[in-house]
Amino acid sequence: MTISNYIQENETRFLNELYDFLRIPSVSTDPKFEPHILKTADFLAAKLQKAGAENIEICQTPRYPIVYADKIIDPNLPTVLVYGHYDVQPADPYDLWTTPPFEPTVRNGKVYARGASDDKGQMYLHIKAFEAMVQTDSLACNIKFMFEGEEESGSDGLAWFVEKEQERLKSDIILISDTGMISNELPSITVGLRGMSYVEVEVTGPNRDLHSGLYGGAVANPIQVLAEMITKLKDENNRITIPNFYDKVAELSAEERAEMAKIPHSEEIYRADLDLKTTDGEKGYSTIERASIRPTLDVNGIWGGYIGEGAKTVLPSKAYAKISTRLVPNQQHEEITQLIANYLQEIAPQTVTVKVTPHHGAVPAVVSTKSIAYQAASKAYETAFGVKPVPVRSGGSIPIVPMFKEKLGADSMMMGFGLDSDAIHSPDESFGIFNYLKGIETIPLFYQYFAELNQ
Amino acid sequence: MTISNYIQENETRFLNELYDFLRIPSVSTDPKFEPHILKTADFLAAKLQKAGAENIEICQTPRYPIVYADKIIDPNLPTVLVYGHYDVQPADPYDLWTTPPFEPTVRNGKVYARGASDDKGQMYLHIKAFEAMVQTDSLACNIKFMFEGEEESGSDGLAWFVEKEQERLKSDIILISDTGMISNELPSITVGLRGMSYVEVEVTGPNRDLHSGLYGGAVANPIQVLAEMITKLKDENNRITIPNFYDKVAELSAEERAEMAKIPHSEEIYRADLDLKTTDGEKGYSTIERASIRPTLDVNGIWGGYIGEGAKTVLPSKAYAKISTRLVPNQQHEEITQLIANYLQEIAPQTVTVKVTPHHGAVPAVVSTKSIAYQAASKAYETAFGVKPVPVRSGGSIPIVPMFKEKLGADSMMMGFGLDSDAIHSPDESFGIFNYLKGIETIPLFYQYFAELNQ
């Protein structure tokens, strides 16, 4: 039987298995979810077994386990290493979800749940594609699976694992579905990713919370100071003011920018989707450029003083912010983190003390459209979707891509099936049923073309 | 037996009763504490009964009850209306307390608990002073008690009650202990209070939380915008930039400022107490002036985005801040609230929508040192402490003082026994055992002198 027939016949089961997967709240950023992370690893191991994988192992790491499995059918065939992450972002604020984040619900052709698109849905479709190839005897490459449980919190365990398992993880290409497409009518392949530097800032004024009536006006308020420091991070043109921040930024040629300008984009639709009167960003660049080829800085969280119900007249001792920057090729995240820390100390007034704590970082990456992997992926999308996909640079970061290149010497191919409207990292995250099934159909085609092109 | 003897003999019981009072978490700003508020009212009614008060009534209001009681001994004697509040500020952050906020603990001569000084301790000493006068047959005035349970959240019920109970609350002076003294060696009487305007600001950008990697740099971040708006509230001289904010501020004469400058104050000690390198405030004014005769603005709370453990790369839909101003004589809080709201809308960029919600406000007030009440209070402190008290302007607000003047036509006399080091509104709030007992000793002297001076 053909792969497509097999997929059709097993559609309902493929979907129900995904829903079971989504029900486990595998949040990696908050330690209290640890038991669920471990349960998820067991779930995956069992599913890989049923799908026909071999050498299945739940590999311990300093933090959360990595689920490994493989099927080596012929040493002469190319080997594909499939990577994905089974952990998810925190789901809060819970009250903004239409249906609970860990009770997958289907509405208008999409399944709503935390991790539906990032990355459980996009990851699980690889296991189902694998099952389909095995059951229809059409496996065209050797396959290795490596699924981690802490991508949303730095992938430390993965780096450790890859370092010591270079032999076992040897492959010709690493396949990742953790990105999006322009639309279901116009598939796209991510050829660029931004890097990241993420820091937490603690501003301390007086040694204790004070009564704002008795001390207000005579003692500097840490919230006010933090606000003024954040304001100093950008200028009136939305350029980041951190000294030397732009020094190593790879500027695109006029040709490359002209090429990008062809990507379909409507400011009206973009604004309407977000209920915005206007977009805003670095002067001299388009919305698409601002969100892909340019480095950015965002305050991801801020808190201080009394944030409960009602009014409390406190002049707080401390104020905090989580600040991240997205980096483009040639920017080094360790260096940027240092620049940010130095600048924050430099602009901190005498009235406070400032502590900067680095969180995880990520290196930017770019993929060549000339590569065999890109060609195979492009043909696979074209066959499955009936449209030639376009290459795009994504604003997001997949920290592990450059790490794989360094430790395993292999390039990564990013075949994403998500959409911007999936609202990943937000309440009401979703993944299209169409996209899930289309992914299961597209992946085997990639293996077929990748094997052919490698001959 | 003399009053002082009676106080000495009953010292231990007086203290234990206070501790029982402090054990009830009567937080009025958070609805979930309501049962405790009601329990506190019952506690007070019972204690007033035992102390010898009459016509005790727990009076219902639109919100929290007011406990009333009186003892009218002779229509020809002046009548004193004692006001106090039995509610307290929220105790969070709980983890910053050395011992739990609602388990009063005595260390180095002070009792530590939320409300110890503001206002349960200072309020309860009036009931014990009353008991002492009744038991020693030395009551010199008619007395009325009015204790409310929502001073920390706007005193709406009190305003409602005072409006309809003007006859029952008739008095020659209103006596309040809800302020501080300079030190136990140099008592002081508060003759000025700042008013207040308190608003909550909600800044909304995109209609949902976004992935900062995919949208960052192209969509304005509400936290960044809020920070920039807060920065625009003050200039480089720490002057508030809200248009017309200072228009009605009553400026002090050179003489008055020279008089204030005599109040003992050490910048070193002040800074050391707060672990600050430097103080900071409106240019051209001293620390004491900044915290008493000048209007101020403080951000009492700020929050937005991801504030949990670890790192989340979100570009939030909303950011919030609680902002309050302290007002001086002639500034109208309703007017200031409007000025703040208008200015926040005016400086809000196109990229967001801003919602401003007013919380409670308060009118500034000043008391004359020539009044009989002030003279009686001054003599009472002098007799009890052996030192003539100095008049000071406090930076805090007691919203109800001007309200009493308007509705009841009576002035308020603020006889505080607290100290700055009591850390009211902060973790580890405390009240000196010395101050509590000294207060019980001082109050009867006030009644005596007030009766004499009224003859």
Side-chain angles (χ1 to χ4, degrees), chain B residues 61-292:
Chain B
T61 80
R63 192 140 168 258
Y64 291 139
I66 284 165
V67 180
Y68 175 88
D70 62 34
K71 190 168 183 74
I72 309 303
I73 49 176
D74 176 352
N76 302 321
L77 287 174
T79 300
V80 177
L81 172 59
V82 178
Y83 162 87
H85 66 93
Y86 61 83
D87 63 317
V88 300
Q89 279 274 323
D92 50 322
Y94 279 66
D95 57 343
L96 294 186
W97 286 76
T98 307
T99 49
F102 298 108
E103 292 173 24
T105 313
V106 175
R107 291 194 297 277
N108 42 62
K110 303 167 170 184
V111 54
Y112 288 82
R114 168 58 81 229
S117 175
D118 177 17
D119 182 46
K120 283 175 160 177
Q122 297 213 66
M123 187 209 110
Y124 199 70
L125 64 84
H126 282 273
I127 299 179
K128 295 300 97 181
F130 171 70
E131 174 192 324
M133 291 186 281
V134 172
Q135 296 300 323
T136 57
D137 236 332
S138 50
L139 199 54
C141 302
N142 299 310
I143 297 188
K144 297 177 177 180
F145 294 98
M146 171 172 64
F147 300 131
E148 71 156 315
E150 50 183 294
E151 193 270 346
E152 302 293 3
S153 58
S155 300
D156 296 344
L158 181 72
W160 176 89
F161 181 75
V162 167
E163 182 72 50
K164 64 186 258 299
E165 295 287 348
Q166 300 184 353
E167 195 47 45
R168 169 153 57 159
L169 300 174
K170 236 169 171 318
S171 68
D172 300 285
I173 190 72
I174 296 164
L175 187 56
I176 304 174
S177 296
D178 196 16
T179 49
M181 311 184 296
I182 291 168
S183 74
N184 289 345
E185 293 64 44
L186 181 56
S188 53
I189 298 175
T190 302
V191 295
L193 294 167
R194 289 198 285 192
M196 178 161 57
S197 163
Y198 199 120
V199 302
E200 190 157 317
V201 187
E202 177 191 78
V203 176
T204 305
N207 55 9
R208 62 181 188 272
D209 285 1
L210 303 175
H211 185 301
S212 67
L214 302 182
Y215 290 88
V219 173
N221 183 321
I223 299 177
Q224 180 81 31
V225 172
L226 177 58
E228 291 168 359
M229 288 172 67
I230 289 170
T231 300
K232 288 206 177 93
L233 295 175
K234 293 187 181 183
D235 67 15
E236 64 283 6
N237 296 327
N238 279 300
R239 292 265 304 179
I240 295 157
T241 50
I242 297 162
N244 305 105
F245 182 83
Y246 291 98
D247 287 2
K248 298 186 176 172
V249 169
E251 302 286 346
L252 264 66
S253 67
E255 293 66 31
E256 290 173 296
R257 291 182 65 180
E259 200 44 50
M260 284 197 76
K262 296 198 185 123
I263 296 171
H265 171 80
S266 156
E267 280 291 299
E268 280 91 298
I269 295 171
Y270 188 89
R271 284 197 304 265
D273 170 47
L274 303 173
D275 290 337
L276 288 173
K277 275 197 233 67
T278 173
T279 54
D280 191 31
E282 187 183 0
K283 196 174 177 189
Y285 293 90
S286 71
T287 292
I288 288 181
E289 290 174 327
R290 288 165 172 170
S292 60

Side-chain angles (χ1 to χ4, degrees), chain A residues 246-252 293-294 328-331 393:
Chain A
Y246 291 98
D247 287 3
K248 299 185 174 171
V249 168
E251 302 287 346
L252 264 65
I293 63 168
R294 298 300 296 171
V328 297
N330 303 346
Q331 287 183 296
R393 303 258 302 245

